[in-house]
C-alpha cells in the first residue's frame, strides 16, 4: 500500500491495475490528498467517473470503502450513529423483573428515575449502537476510503456538519465519549453540481473538476471495461461520442453510456461503425427522444468526421 503512494506515477499505475484510467491531474490530486491529509472534492457532470474514483482508490489500497450516499432529507443521525431503539425496548421488556428490583422501595417517582438513571450505561453502550458511515470511517481499524457521494443532494446544514467532522476526524457520542480516528481515512466527496457547495467546504478540500475524457483516454477506458472490444472499434466509438457531445443535447452521453453502447456493439458483432448500425443503436447513448432525433440527422456527418483526420487531409484542397 505504501508503494501506491510513492509518487504520482505509482498512483496512476495502481489505479489502472484496478481498471480505472486516471489522467495525470486526477492521479496528482489523489497523491496530494493522501500526502496532505485533505479530502478530495470531485465535481462534474454525471457519469464521468467520480464515484468510481473512490472505489478504485479503495481497491488499489485493498482498503475498505465506506460509502455515505447523500440525499435530500438525510440527517446527522443517519450519517453518524443511531441507537437501536427497538432492541433497547425489547431488552427493557425482557428485564422487567430486574428493573422492578432496581426501583423497588423507591419513595418517590423522581427517586425511581434516579435509580434507573444510574443504570443508563447498560442501555447506551456499544451493544445498542449502530455506527453509520462517518463513525465507521473514524473507528476503522485500518486506513479506509470514505466516499461521501453526491454531497450536493444533502442540505446545507449537513454539509456544515461534514466540515466539522472532516476538520478534526473526531466525533463525540455523548454517552460513550469522544472518538478520534486512529487512521485518517482518504475522503472523496463527489458533487454533480446541482447546487453550489459552500466556500468553506471548497477551501477544506482539494478541488478536482472532472469532465468527459478525451478520445484516447475514453478508448482506453473502453479497452478495460468492455470485454472483447477491438482497439479499432474502441477508437471509432470514442471519436464518435466525442463529436456527439458537441451537439446541442438535453443530456450529453457520459462514459457510462459510451460503455453501454460499446458493449452493445460488441454483442452485435460490429467491427466498424456504419450509418445504419449507429442510427439503430443511438438509444444506448441518448435518453431523450429529441436528442435521438437531433443525432439521427447528424449521424453521417459525425461518422465522416470520426473517420479520422486522414480522410479530411485527403479531401479537397
Ligand atoms: N476513468 C475511468 N476509468 C474506467 N472506468 C471509468 C472511468 N470513469 C468512468 N468510468 C466508468 O463509467 C461509469 C460511471 O462512472 P461513475 O463513477 O459512476 O460516474 P459519476 O460518479 O461521475 O456519476 C463507471 O461505472 C465506470 O465503469
Ligand atoms: Mg456517482
Amino acid at each position: 500500500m505504501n508503494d501506491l503512494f510513492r509518487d504520482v506515477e505509482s498512483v496512476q499505475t495502481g489505479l489502472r491495475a484496478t481498471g480505472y484510467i486516471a489522467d495525470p491531474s486526477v492521479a496528482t490530486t489523489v497523491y496530494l490528498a493522501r500526502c496532505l491529509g485533505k479530502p478530495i472534492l470531485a465535481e462534474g457532470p454525471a457519469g464521468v467517473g467520480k464515484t468510481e474514483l473512490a472505489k478504485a482508490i479503495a481497491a488499489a489500497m485493498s482498503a475498505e470503502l465506506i460509502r455515505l450516499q447523500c440525499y435530500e432529507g438525510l440527517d446527522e443521525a443517519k450519517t453518524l450513529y443511531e441507537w437501536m431503539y427497538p432492541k433497547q425496548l425489547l431488552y427493557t421488556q425482557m428485564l422487567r423483573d430486574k428493573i422492578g428490583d432496581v426501583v423497588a422501595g423507591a419513595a418517590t417517582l423522581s427517586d425511581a428515575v434516579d435509580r434507573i438513571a444510574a443504570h443508563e450505561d447498560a442501555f447506551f453502550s456499544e451493544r445498542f449502537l449502530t455506527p453509520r458511515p462517518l463513525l465507521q470511517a473514524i473507528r476503522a481499524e485500518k486506513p479506509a476510503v470514505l466516499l461521501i457521494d453526491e454531497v450536493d443532494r444533502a442540505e446545507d446544514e449537513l454539509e456544515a456538519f461534514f466540515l466539522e467532522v472532516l476538520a478534526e476526524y473526531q466525533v463525540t457520542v455523548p454517552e460513550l465519549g469522544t472518538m478520534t480516528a486512529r487512521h485518517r481515512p482518504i475522503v472523496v466527496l463527489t458533487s454533480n453540481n446541482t447546487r453550489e457547495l459552500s466556500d468553506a467546504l471548497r477551501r477544506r478540500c482539494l478541488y478536482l473538476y472532472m469532465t468527459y475524457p478525451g478520445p484516447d483516454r475514453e478508448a482506453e477506458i473502453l479497452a478495460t471495461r468492455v470485454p472483447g472490444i477491438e482497439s479499432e472499434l474502441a477508437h471509432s466509438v470514442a471519436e464518435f461520442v466525442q463529436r456527439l457531445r458537441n451537439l446541442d443535447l438535453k443530456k450529453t452521453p457520459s462514459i457510462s453510456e459510451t460503455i453501454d453502447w460499446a458493449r452493445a456493439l460488441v454483442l452485435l458483432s460490429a467491427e466498424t461503425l456504419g450509418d445504419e448500425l449507429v442510427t439503430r443503436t443511438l438509444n444506448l447513448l441518448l435518453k431523450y427522444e429529441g436528442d435521438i432525433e437531433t443525432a439521427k440527422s447528424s449521424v453521417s456527418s459525425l461518422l465522416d468526421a470520426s473517420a479520422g483526420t486522414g480522410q479530411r487531409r485527403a479531401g479537397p484542397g
Side-chain angles (χ1 to χ4, degrees), residues 19-21 45-52 217 221 225 255-256 259:
Y20 191 86
I21 313 299
V48 297
K50 302 182 299 293
T51 302
E52 197 68 23
R217 192 159 76 87
I221 294 174
R225 298 279 156 161
I255 301 174
S256 322
I259 293 173

Side-chain angles (χ1 to χ4, degrees), residues 226-230 233 261-270:
V226 183
I229 195 165
E230 296 289 339
L233 182 64
W261 189 44
R263 284 198 179 134
L265 293 172
V266 169
L267 280 175
L268 297 171
S269 313

Side-chain angles (χ1 to χ4, degrees), residues 107-175:
T108 62
L109 184 60
S110 72
D111 184 18
V113 169
D114 285 346
R115 290 192 191 188
I116 296 272
H119 296 273
E120 231 170 44
D121 285 0
F123 286 96
F124 290 96
S125 60
E126 288 286 342
R127 196 191 301 277
F128 298 101
L129 186 78
T130 309
R132 296 298 179 200
L134 295 179
L135 188 58
Q136 282 170 20
I138 280 174
R139 297 208 305 185
E141 297 286 339
K142 289 191 244 156
V145 175
L146 172 64
L147 166 63
I148 304 183
D149 213 7
E150 305 187 348
V151 66
D152 52 326
R153 290 170 63 180
E155 272 123 70
D156 309 8
E157 305 87 72
L158 198 60
E159 191 187 314
F161 174 67
F162 291 156
L163 258 175
E164 214 178 290
V165 173
L166 296 177
E168 306 289 338
Y169 291 93
Q170 80 179 22
V171 296
T172 301
V173 180
E175 296 85 350

